[in-house]
Amino acid sequence: MKQIFRKLPTLLLVVGAFLTQPIVAQKLSPQKLKALQKEIIEEVDKKKEFSAQVNDMIFSFAELGFQETETSQYLINLLEKEGFTIQKGISGVPTAWIATWGSGKPVIAIGSDVDCIPKASQKPGVAYHDPIVDGAPGHGEGHNSGQALNITSALVLKKIMEREKLSGTLMLWPGVAEELVGTKAFYIRDGYFKDVDACIFTHVNSNLSVKHGDAGNNGLVSVKFNFEGEAAHAAANPWRGKSALDAVELMNVGWNYKREHLLPTQRSHYVVVNGGDQPNVVPSKASVWYYFRERTYPKIKELYDYGKKIAQGAAMMTDTKVSWEVLGSAWPGHFNKPIAERAFSHIKRVGLPTWSEADQQLAKGIQQELSSPEQKGLRAEIDTVLEVVGSMGGGSDDIADISWSLPTIVLGYPSNIPGLPGHHWANAISMATPIAHKGITAGAKVEALTILDLLNEPKLIESAWDYYKNVQTKDIKYEPLIAPTDKPAIAINANIMELYRPKLKQYYFDPTKYKTYLEQLGIQYPTVRKVEQKKD
């Protein structure tokens, strides 16, 4: 008896340890899996109004990168009420956070961007330029929709996981300042994804889509060049001045001559963010902000080096000083084949939404308004292209830095209108309408079904990592374009939002009074300009 009591503390520790381990359900039977898949589709449909409300609320905030304070707090409050644990201010970014629920493996990261586009304010459902607040930011890409999709799918899965005792951790997170490619490389550098098994990222599209392999896009490094000279009276003593603005202009001239001798895959662009104060003072300080884009890491670094040399040359010609700072970066994307193929099987199952006549009228109305090369309205067939073959480069997204760190896919969902310019007020037209709401619901079904497979099939995650290790990263290893000392540029856009947030606040969506944002704004859906009234 004494021996039993001497061993009791050890026995209690063993039992206690066993009881605190996550409950791991055995692989679901085919019949059970089929029933749960059916339940997911039904439950996502039941949450249509919830999804639309989250979508419309974020649309109304219209916040630029690094300044998504209303959006961030709204989503944090929502997730805390649903039992998620929130880690705020990750990587030193006030509007960045991670929300987790569940326990044990696998850990599935579920992300989407939240920032909007400068000067893209637009009334939803109106097929011509009609800003809510003139000059204000707006969701001219559609980043207001992805978190609505992700939270809907996560809540449906949470309910099933609790009841079925499925092991796994859901990790929701926002892509802050994606338009500035400003955060995801920092998330990776700072270790927030080191224990994640797979990542599903959602991005607005005009179709249900997913691709694997080389995404065909460019990576980039975002760099601000700061020139410093000496002020002087521009009329009385100009010879005593050293113009930082002259240096900026000479750098831009030099870069534009360099373009002739660069590969056609490169994309580079700049804006002068500080050109001096007033004409009668020789500018002592001036800055120019560049994006250097290319198809591979070495080529991006090469462009960056060219830029630094040209900046130094401009400084020598003007007898000024130059320094530079990295504001953001993104690798070219590469996405996971096994997970993409599984997601595509669910895309075929879910299918595109049923578009109403009103939906199609809105789409065709804005396509005609902008003389778009595509004027057939909304997509009627699923995108069947799973792998990009060849590319001349183009846009960038810092989800790529996560894709080079763990198995990742991007799920596109049909909440936007085909044939529009992108980063434009026109791309905001559909984003708080039934088009966006239907697209979110379709995407949430595909995402939840895919995550259920990741929770239920360890071999699917094993296959994903096998592809990541033996195909994707066999010959190419991720090297960050940011340095260990670089910090997120959290002050960007602060002045713009300080100006426009009070003007936008009176138009924030109030779901306690209105069912949709269209109803609150009093917009007849759709509002389309008659052909004879169209202005040049």
Side-chain angles (χ1 to χ4, degrees), residues 162-288:
E162 285 177 318
R163 188 187 67 225
E164 303 296 331
K165 297 182 173 55
L166 293 175
S167 173
T169 303
L170 304 179
M171 169 182 157
L172 277 72
W173 57 278
V176 167
E178 186 276 335
E179 300 300 343
L180 309 175
V181 289
T183 54
K184 298 186 187 79
F186 293 97
Y187 297 167
I188 291 298
R189 185 194 69 183
D190 297 341
Y192 292 105
F193 284 76
K194 61 183 174 64
D195 295 322
V196 176
D197 295 289
C199 176
I200 295 183
F201 190 76
T202 56
H203 197 283
V204 63
N205 203 324
S206 57
N207 209 326
L208 269 176
S209 65
V210 67
K211 292 177 174 59
H212 58 74
D214 182 345
N217 60 336
N218 282 340
L220 71 79
V221 62
S222 167
V223 188
K224 186 169 75 164
F225 294 88
N226 302 306
F227 292 87
E228 184 173 354
E230 291 184 17
H233 193 302
N237 298 293
W239 46 84
R240 296 184 64 178
K242 298 176 182 178
S243 175
L245 177 59
D246 287 353
V248 164
E249 292 185 311
L250 284 166
M251 179 182 178
N252 294 343
V253 168
W255 185 261
N256 286 330
Y257 274 101
K258 182 66 178 176
R259 290 178 197 270
E260 180 183 357
H261 309 289
L262 298 174
L263 292 171
T265 47
Q266 76 86 25
R267 301 285 191 278
S268 53
H269 3 267
Y270 58 83
V271 292
V272 176
V273 291
N274 177 13
D277 299 302
Q278 57 192 55
N280 64 328
V281 180
V282 174
S284 62
K285 293 185 178 181
S287 300
V288 60

Side-chain angles (χ1 to χ4, degrees), residues 325-339:
E325 52 186 314
V326 173
L327 303 182
S329 68
W331 262 59
H334 190 116
F335 300 105
N336 194 264
K337 184 176 181 179
I339 302 177

Side-chain angles (χ1 to χ4, degrees), residues 37-343:
Q37 289 171 336
K38 182 174 181 290
E39 180 181 350
I40 282 173
I41 291 172
E42 292 172 349
E43 289 298 316
V44 170
D45 275 328
K46 289 178 183 177
K47 297 186 80 66
K48 285 179 181 179
E49 290 187 8
F50 167 83
S51 307
Q53 178 177 308
V54 176
N55 174 84
D56 290 8
M57 183 67 79
I58 299 173
F59 183 93
S60 73
F61 294 144
E63 295 175 302
L64 292 171
F66 287 119
Q67 308 307 320
E68 311 97 333
T69 54
E70 299 278 9
T71 301
S72 178
Q73 194 58 55
Y74 168 71
L75 293 172
I76 286 171
N77 291 345
L78 191 160
L79 288 165
E80 282 182 332
K81 289 177 182 177
E82 295 291 344
F84 282 74
T85 300
I86 313 294
Q87 185 177 2
K88 302 176 184 177
I90 65 172
S91 288
V93 179
T95 56
W97 45 268
I98 286 174
T100 55
W101 178 87
S103 62
K105 289 285 193 173
V107 179
I108 310 298
I110 311 167
S112 198
D113 300 322
V114 292
D115 58 329
C116 68
I117 303 291
K119 295 181 175 64
S121 180
Q122 173 63 28
K123 291 177 182 175
V126 179
Y128 48 81
H129 193 206
D130 191 6
I132 296 172
V133 174
D134 192 32
H139 276 287
E141 181 159 343
H143 286 174
N144 60 296
S145 54
Q147 289 293 332
L149 186 163
N150 290 351
I151 293 172
T152 297
S153 67
L155 294 182
V156 169
L157 285 165
K158 175 176 176 284
K159 178 181 177 181
I160 290 173
M161 290 171 70
E162 285 177 318
R163 188 187 67 225
E164 303 296 331
K165 297 182 173 55
L166 293 175
S167 173
T169 303
L170 304 179
M171 169 182 157
L172 277 72
W173 57 278
V176 167
E178 186 276 335
E179 300 300 343
L180 309 175
V181 289
T183 54
K184 298 186 187 79
F186 293 97
Y187 297 167
I188 291 298
R189 185 194 69 183
D190 297 341
Y192 292 105
F193 284 76
K194 61 183 174 64
D195 295 322
V196 176
D197 295 289
C199 176
I200 295 183
F201 190 76
T202 56
H203 197 283
V204 63
N205 203 324
S206 57
N207 209 326
L208 269 176
S209 65
V210 67
K211 292 177 174 59
H212 58 74
D214 182 345
N217 60 336
N218 282 340
L220 71 79
V221 62
S222 167
V223 188
K224 186 169 75 164
F225 294 88
N226 302 306
F227 292 87
E228 184 173 354
E230 291 184 17
H233 193 302
N237 298 293
W239 46 84
R240 296 184 64 178
K242 298 176 182 178
S243 175
L245 177 59
D246 287 353
V248 164
E249 292 185 311
L250 284 166
M251 179 182 178
N252 294 343
V253 168
W255 185 261
N256 286 330
Y257 274 101
K258 182 66 178 176
R259 290 178 197 270
E260 180 183 357
H261 309 289
L262 298 174
L263 292 171
T265 47
Q266 76 86 25
R267 301 285 191 278
S268 53
H269 3 267
Y270 58 83
V271 292
V272 176
V273 291
N274 177 13
D277 299 302
Q278 57 192 55
N280 64 328
V281 180
V282 174
S284 62
K285 293 185 178 181
S287 300
V288 60
W289 181 9
Y290 270 77
Y291 276 13
F292 299 112
R293 302 188 198 246
E294 251 291 4
R295 288 284 289 117
T296 66
Y297 171 83
K299 288 295 181 184
I300 297 166
K301 290 284 288 181
E302 186 177 79
L303 290 184
Y304 183 18
D305 289 340
Y306 286 149
K308 289 186 284 188
K309 288 179 181 178
I310 291 171
Q312 289 167 332
M316 290 176 65
M317 286 188 283
T318 53
D319 198 19
T320 58
K321 298 176 183 178
V322 65
S323 61
W324 47 82
E325 52 186 314
V326 173
L327 303 182
S329 68
W331 262 59
H334 190 116
F335 300 105
N336 194 264
K337 184 176 181 179
I339 302 177
E341 289 179 336
R342 183 60 60 90

Side-chain angles (χ1 to χ4, degrees), residues 72 192 403 410 512:
S72 178
Y192 292 105
S403 80
V410 175
T512 66

